[in-house]
Amino acid sequence: MGIKEKRLVESVLFSASQPISIKEIKEVTGMTPNKIKKTIEELIEDYNVIRKNETSMEVVKAGDKYTMQVKKQYADQSIMVSKPEIKDDLLKTLTLI
């Protein structure tokens, strides 16, 4: 797989705010589903196997979708600087329920 395609799929996975399907990646990149699947497999190999101890990120399959996320052991620290997706007042209401 070409480095350009690999970086393109990597950037889409990183930028997506939720897991994304191969079809959705195809709509954004114009790549074929087969190329996208092979590229994702390469990214999983890179992040989850080859560079496992060198990065805080991982590529994960969630049902029929994929996501790039912070590994669980780093999530507590990184969540402190990220903005919550639910507003504080709504979160307080949900907590009371």
Side-chain angles (χ1 to χ4, degrees):
M1 191 58 46
I3 193 75
K4 182 179 177 183
E5 291 91 355
K6 192 172 181 179
R7 295 300 166 238
L8 182 57
V9 172
E10 179 183 44
S11 67
V12 170
L13 288 173
F14 182 80
S15 301
S17 60
Q18 56 192 355
I20 187 168
S21 69
I22 289 176
K23 181 182 177 185
E24 292 168 311
I25 296 171
K26 178 183 181 282
E27 291 171 5
V28 174
T29 64
M31 294 170 59
T32 66
N34 192 37
K35 278 188 178 182
I36 294 167
K37 187 167 177 58
K38 287 181 180 180
T39 302
I40 290 173
E41 288 170 0
E42 286 183 20
L43 288 169
I44 289 172
E45 178 77 11
D46 287 351
Y47 278 93
N48 302 5
V49 179
I50 296 171
R51 296 175 47 214
K52 180 180 180 178
N53 297 321
E54 299 171 12
T55 180
S56 61
M57 304 296 290
E58 62 186 354
V59 179
V60 179
K61 185 172 183 179
D64 63 344
K65 297 182 177 189
Y66 297 87
T67 188
M68 180 177 268
Q69 64 186 25
V70 175
K71 291 178 182 174
K72 290 183 196 266
Q73 65 260 38
Y74 301 106
D76 289 341
Q77 292 82 13
S78 63
I79 202 159
M80 292 177 169
V81 296
S82 65
K83 294 182 180 179
E85 292 182 23
I86 300 174
K87 294 181 181 179
D88 285 343
D89 56 338
L90 180 59
L91 188 58
K92 288 177 185 176
T93 302
L94 290 172
T95 304
L96 293 173
I97 296 173

